[in-house]
Amino acid sequence: MTGTLLDLGRYPGLVAGEGRVRGEVYRLAHPGLLATLDREEGYNFERRLTAVTLGDDRRARAWTYWYRGPRTRGVPIPEGDWRTRWR
């Protein structure tokens, strides 16, 4: 998807940007789990329905969590992939 990923220390933060961000898509067994995820993400993150491109180039809509805290707290991850940051 389009955006910029920030390294916030223990976790990443997605913000608007021109880069490409890689992530994982999960199907939830019960929509009620979204409220649990909202609480876990916390007040500095906002859930939004976003257009994403899957690994097989299909397009889909997925819930994503956008960071709404101060950008100065994070360091941009140029490759847009949190997993490669910690290999």
Side-chain angles (χ1 to χ4, degrees), residues 31-43:
L33 293 171
L34 285 172
T36 302
L37 289 172
D38 290 345
R39 283 190 302 278
E40 185 65 29
E41 290 293 335
Y43 66 90

Side-chain angles (χ1 to χ4, degrees), residues 1 20 22 51-60:
M1 63 176 289
R20 298 293 297 165
R22 294 179 59 96
V52 299
T53 303
L54 303 176
D56 60 3
D57 290 329
R58 287 182 299 136
R59 303 230 349 135

